[in-house]
Amino acid sequence: MPELPEVETVRRGLEEVLPGRRASRVEVTGRRTVRRQSPSELVSRLQRRRFRRPDRRGKYLALGLDSGDVLVIHLRMSGQLLYLPEPSAGARLPHTHVVVGLDDGSELRFVDPRTFGEWFVTGDLRPDGLPAEFDRLGPDPLADGLSTALLRERLLGRKVAVKAALTDQRVIAGIGSIYADEICHAARVRPDRRVETLGMAETRALALSSSRILRAAVVHRGSSLKDERYVDLMGTLGSYQTRHRVYDRAGEPCARCGAAIERVRFGARTAYCCLGCQS
DNA sequence: AGCATCACCTGGCTGC
DNA sequence: TGCAGCCAGGTGATGC
């Protein structure tokens, strides 16, 4: 599932190929990908526009256009953004919902089996050029930094489990289920602990672990799970999954204390953690 | 207001 | 082996 490191890896790939390219042809084939505006509106605001440098906040990609609009893309659960230098060479994969032909003959394709992913073009922007609705997002640990004081402030007054807070995009932007579990393990905090019970040292450990783990995962180009759903822009798998300490490792010994990793349920969600060294 | 739960969706897995 | 049914999980809507 694409989280901050996977989306950042895709953004870096886009940065290599997209700036200066013109969208010469835009084809919306899926029914659900473009849903907050009509597909024809998206096509008309995207077609013939030149891309600027791609940006990202949390799990959202923000692709600036020379018209002043921004193309926002969210991969959600199963979205893949693929770049084909020579599109004639490859047949379209099933579940290809959007195709953008670029002016050098290359193509950007959006493949998304579960159709949760979303594209829209907006001109409602903040002074920093990002979509106004990004105001809802909390700080992005990579783009904005995440100090202990800032995390403490973001958690203040909330009465939810630590994992629920870390994955709440209004609190911090970019963390999903996988990295929340890894961050909690690194910080020795149980994901089902209530945030109001956290001490300063634990909040500090969570802030430091968040930045460290997300940065390391970007270096390894994200996590590709067993279903191999996540690939980067060129179709290459990430490798951070080999460094997961707890996620999807129920029954395996904890690398830190040797106790068996457990899969715990809290509310309607699950989390992987080590009860031997996380409290 | 703020927290909890549900709906959305398909592929992969489990269990009979 | 085949197949029904469950589960995953980010976000926005709805319920409490």
Side-chain angles (χ1 to χ4, degrees):
Chain A
M1 322 303 145
E3 303 181 25
L4 186 154
E6 292 77 29
V7 179
E8 174 62 15
T9 301
V10 171
R11 191 202 65 78
R12 291 180 181 192
L14 289 169
E15 194 168 26
E16 298 290 313
V17 298
L18 213 49
R21 289 273 69 82
R22 194 183 290 277
S24 46
R25 182 174 44 85
V26 181
E27 203 182 325
V28 178
T29 50
R31 227 170 311 157
R32 269 176 48 82
T33 302
V34 180
R35 51 184 181 266
R36 58 176 88 180
Q37 62 200 162
S38 67
S40 62
E41 186 194 339
L42 178 123
V43 169
S44 68
R45 291 176 78 165
L46 189 51
Q47 214 147 32
R48 291 186 293 280
R49 295 299 164 206
R50 240 178 241 290
F51 286 99
R52 295 176 171 161
R53 184 177 174 277
D55 209 338
R56 178 198 58 77
R57 279 300 180 284
K59 304 170 192 170
Y60 290 85
L61 287 167
L63 311 186
L65 306 172
D66 62 357
S67 57
D69 282 345
V70 172
L71 168 63
V72 178
I73 299 177
H74 197 300
L75 306 175
R76 285 299 225 295
M77 312 298 299
S78 62
Q80 295 179 346
L81 208 48
L82 300 172
Y83 178 76
L84 289 89
E86 293 176 33
S88 55
R92 286 182 193 176
L93 290 169
H95 309 295
T96 298
H97 301 315
V98 186
V99 177
V100 178
L102 302 170
D103 59 353
D104 61 352
S106 62
E107 251 179 36
L108 208 54
R109 295 183 185 175
F110 184 66
V111 178
D112 184 18
R114 293 173 71 179
T115 72
F116 284 117
E118 187 176 11
W119 284 43
F120 63 92
V121 174
T122 180
D124 186 12
L125 308 179
R126 316 190 293 199
D128 65 1
L130 291 170
E133 65 170 82
F134 284 15
D135 278 346
R136 294 181 295 108
L137 299 174
D140 179 296
L142 258 57
D144 308 313
L146 184 67
S147 65
T148 305
L150 180 55
L151 178 60
R152 187 174 145 87
E153 178 200 310
R154 304 300 299 173
L155 296 177
L156 200 66
R158 297 194 182 260
K159 299 191 172 186
V160 293
V162 171
K163 179 169 181 177
L166 291 179
T167 57
D168 184 335
Q169 303 302 296
R170 296 168 301 178
V171 177
I172 309 171
I175 298 173
S177 191
I178 296 171
Y179 295 102
D181 286 358
E182 295 300 320
I183 289 163
C184 286
H185 180 263
R188 299 177 185 252
V189 172
R190 279 180 60 142
D192 54 352
R193 266 279 292 286
R194 308 280 298 186
V195 294
E196 63 267 34
T197 70
L198 290 173
M200 188 57 116
E202 291 171 319
T203 304
R204 177 178 150 80
L206 285 167
L208 292 174
S209 300
S210 297
S211 302
R212 182 173 63 75
I213 285 176
L214 294 171
R215 247 197 309 271
V218 170
V219 168
H220 291 88
R221 308 185 63 77
S223 301
S224 294
L225 305 181
K226 281 176 286 197
D227 59 19
E228 301 191 348
R229 197 162 280 151
Y230 165 72
V231 292
D232 68 16
L233 199 61
M234 303 304 174
T236 306
L237 297 172
S239 65
Y240 193 71
Q241 67 280 3
T242 63
R243 290 165 189 263
H244 290 176
R245 294 290 186 93
V246 287
Y247 184 81
D248 202 23
R249 293 195 183 280
E252 296 181 32
C254 170
R256 189 167 51 210
C257 76
I261 303 299
E262 299 198 37
R263 184 169 176 272
V264 300
R265 289 200 82 92
F266 64 99
R269 297 290 182 203
T270 60
Y272 296 91
C273 63
C274 173
L275 301 183
C277 58
Q278 287 174 261
S279 57

